Amino acid sequence: NAGVTQTPKFQVLKTGQSMTLQCAQDMNHNSMYWYRQDPGMGLRLIYYSASEGTTDKGEVPNGYNVSRLNKREFSLRLESAAPSQTSVYFCASSLLAENNEQFFGPGTRLTVL
Amino acid sequence: AQSVAQPEDQVNVAEGNPLTVKCTYSVSGNPYLFWYVQYPNRGLQFLLKYITGDNLVKGSYGFEAEFNKSQTSFHLKKPSALVSDSALYFCAVSPNTGFQKLVFGTGTRLLVSP
């Protein structure tokens, strides 16, 4: 099992460019999440998908969109990147949304110039 | 809304000594509590969780945590630290009713010296 995989590992964008971060899990988990990690701020939830076919906003959704493509895949899109979106992005999944531990991918380090 | 406080940015301990990483929380109702560890350039890894029952929870790599409802704390402990325990540790909380999002603390860096 690969667990949770993310692509790309690194990305540099110019302000205004768009990109999609890909995430896939092979654990047959129902719930998936996107977080960003910034120094001194811990992890903040951007969007989540409690189950296939549903998505909801987290704590910091502005500037992002998501797609739960199927049970395995959950993508995060930046339509017009801004320097404030420079961060490390983590995808995670859990078997169920309630009281289950989350499994994290290795992260994508994004720099917006 | 729930919140987590990890009051120490960094904890230093000598190898072989006991370690404690502190966490306090605020949540409506009863909590689900988690500890995660992050090694450099890696994603977070689950260590342990408290859902209900025994206040002392044992987890991976010899770590344990004690849930204290009156003090709203969930401190992470290990009897004998290893250099390889050096990493960033995150506490997280959610209410125990329905689907609730996890809220993470800001993290505590643990440095274990040889």
Side-chain angles (χ1 to χ4, degrees), chain B residues 1-110:
Chain B
Q2 63 263 35
S3 64
V4 174
Q6 293 183 242
E8 302 153 316
D9 289 336
Q10 183 164 309
V11 170
N12 298 303
V13 65
E15 188 173 34
N17 284 356
L19 69 88
T20 299
V21 182
K22 295 179 180 177
C23 171
T24 58
Y25 67 90
S26 173
V27 71
S28 298
N30 294 315
Y32 292 148
L33 291 156
F34 299 80
W35 275 102
Y36 287 83
V37 60
Q38 185 180 29
Y39 298 100
N41 300 313
R42 303 285 295 276
L44 277 69
Q45 296 178 29
F46 169 78
L47 274 181
L48 52 80
K49 67 181 179 183
Y50 171 82
I51 302 299
T52 187
D54 194 348
N55 289 345
L56 185 64
V57 179
K58 294 189 183 297
S60 306
Y61 313 120
F63 284 94
E64 58 188 27
E66 186 166 12
F67 171 61
N68 187 317
K69 188 172 184 177
S70 63
Q71 297 186 4
T72 61
S73 67
F74 189 56
H75 300 331
L76 182 70
K77 300 181 180 184
K78 188 174 182 182
S80 179
L82 299 172
V83 172
S84 57
D85 292 331
S86 299
L88 190 57
Y89 290 81
F90 290 95
C91 181
V93 68
S94 73
N96 71 345
T97 53
F99 172 63
Q100 298 286 349
K101 301 176 287 291
L102 269 185
V103 171
F104 286 83
T106 53
T108 298
R109 187 165 302 281
L110 174 67

Side-chain angles (χ1 to χ4, degrees), chain A residues 6 21 35-36 46 64 76 85 87-90 107-108 110:
Chain A
Q6 293 182 237
L21 281 64
Y35 293 91
R36 59 178 289 172
I46 304 170
Y64 305 95
L76 178 72
Q85 294 178 305
S87 188
V88 182
Y89 291 85
F90 289 101
T108 294
L110 175 66

